[in-house]
Amino acid sequence: MELHDVWFVLIAVLWIGYFFLEGFDFGVGVLTKLLARGRTEKRVLINTIGPVWDGNEVWLLTAGGAIFAAFPEWYATLFSGFYLPLLVILVCLIIRGVAFEYRAKRPEENWQRNWEQAIFWTSLVPAFLWGVAFGNIVRGVKIDADMEYVGNLWDLLNPYALLGGLVTLSLFTFHGAVFAALKTVGDIRTRARALALKLGLVTAVLALAFLGWTQADNGDGWSLVALLVAVVALVGAIGAIRIGREGWSFALSGVTVAAAVAMLFLTLFPNVMPSSLDPAWSLTVTNASSSPYTLKIMTWCAAIATPLVLLYQSWTYWVFRKRIGTQHIADAAH
C-alpha cells in the first residue's frame, strides 16, 4: 500500500472520529429545543456535553489539516467549490462555541434564551450541511480538466445530497438522544429514551434509502459489508434503547455512524473527488496527493501525536462519566 493510500484511510478514520463524537454533540444541541422542558433541563443537556464539545471539534481541525497537507489539490478544489456551505458551517461552529461559553454569563432570561436559540440552530445547520457536502463528494461534482470546480451552489442542492443531509441530521439527533439518555437521570432520561426510539425509526428509513442509493450507484462488495454493518447496528441501537440499555445503544449508534461514513469512503476510493463532467478529470489519491517525502514526514508525526491525543480525550470522557440531573444544577441555575 502506497503512502497516499494510507493517508486516504487515515483521513477517513479522522472523519469517522469527528462524526462519531461531534454527531452526538450536535444531536444534544438540537435536543435543547426538542427534548428539554424549561431552562433547567436545557442546562442539564448542555452540561452533558459541556466538558467535551470543544475537544470533539479537534477531530475536524485535524481532518481538515490532514487533507490540506496530504491532498492539497483535493483541499483546494473542495474548499473553493464548496465555499459557501463550508463557510456557513464554520460560522455556525464559531457562534456555537461562543454560545456555550456566554449563555450563563448573565442572568437575564432574554440573554440566556437567545444563546439557547443559537445553540439549537448552530447544531442543526452543520448536522444537515455535512451530509449535503459528503453526498456531493461521493456523487461527483463539476470538475474540469484543471481540477477546478465549475458548478454553482444550486448544483450542490440535488436530491441525493439533500437526502444525505437529512440522514446526518436524523442520525446525529438520534445519536444525541441516546447520549442524553446515557448521561442523565430522572424524567429527562425517560423522555430521551422515548424520543430516541422515535428518531431511530425515522433514521432507519432515511439511512436505508440513502445508503441503498449509494450502493446502487457506486458500491462494491466492501461497501455492501459496511452498509450491512450500519443497518444491523442501527437496528440493534433501536432495540437496546427500547429495553433501556443506553450504553449498548450508544455504542451501536456509534458503530452505525462509523460504518456509514466508512461506506462513503469505500465507494469513493480511489477517487477523493469525482468529476461528473468526465471521469478522467476526477481527483484521485494519486493526482491530488503531496510528494512522498511530505507524506512520510506526516506519517511519523501522526504516529507520535495520535496516541497521545486519544489517551487524553479518553481520560476526559472517563473523568466526566457520571450522570447528571436537574437536582445537580438547581443552585447554579439560581
Side-chain angles (χ1 to χ4, degrees), residues 21-224:
L21 296 172
E22 192 80 325
F24 73 75
D25 197 323
F26 285 144
V28 171
V30 173
L31 292 173
T32 56
K33 183 175 287 290
L34 301 182
L35 177 64
R37 294 177 180 173
R39 183 140 295 111
T40 303
E41 288 193 354
K42 289 183 179 181
R43 180 70 179 274
V44 170
L45 290 177
I46 292 171
N47 279 10
T48 63
I49 58 174
V52 298
W53 68 267
D54 47 356
N56 295 343
E57 292 185 357
V58 171
W59 289 79
L60 173 61
L61 299 176
T62 308
I67 293 175
F68 173 78
F71 299 100
E73 294 290 350
W74 183 14
Y75 182 93
T77 304
L78 176 65
F79 279 80
S80 60
F82 293 24
Y83 181 82
L84 184 57
L86 291 178
L87 176 63
V88 172
I89 290 174
L90 177 61
V91 171
C92 284
L93 294 180
I94 293 172
I95 296 175
R96 189 168 182 266
V98 174
F100 281 129
E101 298 295 335
Y102 275 56
R103 177 195 171 277
K105 296 298 183 183
R106 289 171 57 178
E108 291 88 346
E109 184 174 342
N110 286 341
W111 171 272
Q112 295 190 3
R113 184 186 299 112
N114 289 338
W115 287 120
E116 289 162 1
Q117 289 282 354
I119 291 172
F120 170 75
W121 287 109
T122 56
S123 298
L124 185 148
V125 172
F128 175 75
L129 289 181
W130 279 127
V132 174
F134 271 84
N136 278 292
I137 292 173
V138 173
R139 174 178 176 268
V141 292
K142 294 179 178 179
I143 299 174
D144 64 13
D146 296 321
M147 298 185 179
E148 294 181 359
Y149 177 73
V150 293
N152 55 50
L153 177 62
W154 302 112
D155 292 326
L156 303 179
L157 302 178
N158 54 80
Y160 175 79
L162 293 175
L163 178 59
L166 292 176
V167 170
T168 52
L169 175 58
S170 61
L171 179 56
F172 291 170
T173 308
F174 169 68
H175 197 33
V178 175
F179 181 78
L182 179 64
K183 288 287 292 179
T184 58
V185 295
D187 183 55
I188 191 170
R189 176 189 178 189
T190 303
R191 283 186 280 112
R193 287 207 306 253
L195 182 58
L197 184 59
K198 296 175 183 177
L199 289 169
L201 297 175
V202 174
T203 301
V205 174
L206 293 173
L208 188 59
F210 178 72
L211 297 180
W213 190 346
T214 304
Q215 178 66 24
D217 282 352
N218 306 299
D220 58 14
W222 288 109
S223 62
L224 179 60

Side-chain angles (χ1 to χ4, degrees), residues 20-21 23-25 28 172 174-183 233 236-238 240-241 245-257 317:
F20 175 86
L21 296 172
F24 73 75
D25 197 323
V28 171
F172 291 170
F174 169 68
H175 197 33
V178 175
F179 181 78
L182 179 64
K183 288 287 292 179
I238 295 171
I241 198 65
R245 299 297 298 270
E246 296 102 338
W248 280 104
S249 183
F250 181 71
L252 289 169
S253 65
V255 171
T256 304
V257 173
Y317 276 91

